[in-house]
């Protein structure tokens, strides 16, 4: 099937169902190699049809949970950035912001008993447009969020635009704003998330 027809069908299905129904997988997977990458990930690595990553069934060690959580955190972050923002901020994100995200995830794993780590999972599908959500780590059985990782577009007067990375925790009922860091964009308005 021609690539233009596949793309047209995906847009049509999404528009007619207001995004509530995912297009079939055979319309969203290319037959040729996809060269668009963000860091070490390609668009084919992402599962756009599911809302959440399924909790892992076998017993997890702390190290296995941390490996899983950090991998998913990076994937969800680069999905959020999209093809217009991602390539321009990926180096700063990996050097400055991501190590701090890893520290927060380590703290979360440390405060939970190892047998509870099986019940923790990461939300998929970061929000687009101007919304802040990158991903949440939540308890799969109760559905309650534990940590919410967000990024906000800040525009201090006469300074240009910054991406402010931060998180909220259940400890203070998500009221506190815990800063991870900021990345300067430019004087011009940044594109929408996921674009």
């Amino acid at each position: 099937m021609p690539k233009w027809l596949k793309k047209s069908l995906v847009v049509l299905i999404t528009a007619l169902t207001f995004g509530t129904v995912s297009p079939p997988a055979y319309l969203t997977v290319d037959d040729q190699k996809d060269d668009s990458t963000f860091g070490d990930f390609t668009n084919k690595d992402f599962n756009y049809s599911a809302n959440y990553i399924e909790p892992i069934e076998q017993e997890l060690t702390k190290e296995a949970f941390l490996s899983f959580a950090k991998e998913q955190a990076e994937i969800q972050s680069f999905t959020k950035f999209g093809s217009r923002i991602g390539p321009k901020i990926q180096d700063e994100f990996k050097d400055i912001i991501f190590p701090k995200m890893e520290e927060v995830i380590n703290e979360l794993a440390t405060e939970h008993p190892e047998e509870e780590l099986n019940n923790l999972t990461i939300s998929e599908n970061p929000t687009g447009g101007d919304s802040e959500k990158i991903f949440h780590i939540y308890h799969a059985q109760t559905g309650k969020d534990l940590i919410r990782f967000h990024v906000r577009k800040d525009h201090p007067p006469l300074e240009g635009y910054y991406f402010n990375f931060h998180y909220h925790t259940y400890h203070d009922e998500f009221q506190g704003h815990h800063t991870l860091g900021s990345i300067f964009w430019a004087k011009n308005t940044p594109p929408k998330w996921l674009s």
Side-chain angles (χ1 to χ4, degrees), residues 85 89 151-153 161-165 181-183 185 190 193:
I85 296 175
I89 69 167
V151 59
R152 179 181 67 220
K153 295 175 185 175
Y161 287 87
Y162 288 85
F163 298 128
N164 174 273
F165 293 86
S182 294
I183 297 177
W185 171 254
W193 299 117

Side-chain angles (χ1 to χ4, degrees), residues 82-132:
S83 61
R84 295 176 66 196
I85 296 175
K88 293 179 181 168
I89 69 167
Q90 70 181 356
D91 292 337
E92 279 185 273
F93 175 78
K94 286 183 177 181
D95 293 342
I96 299 168
I97 307 300
F98 194 68
K100 293 178 183 176
M101 271 186 179
E102 290 178 321
E103 287 177 25
V104 173
I105 293 170
N106 282 336
E107 289 174 24
L108 177 71
T110 302
E111 70 184 44
H112 283 79
E114 205 164 278
E115 59 273 4
E116 274 294 305
L117 295 179
N118 278 6
N119 295 319
L120 303 185
T121 193
I122 297 177
S123 64
E124 273 192 345
N125 296 336
T127 56
D130 290 320
S131 298
E132 294 187 5

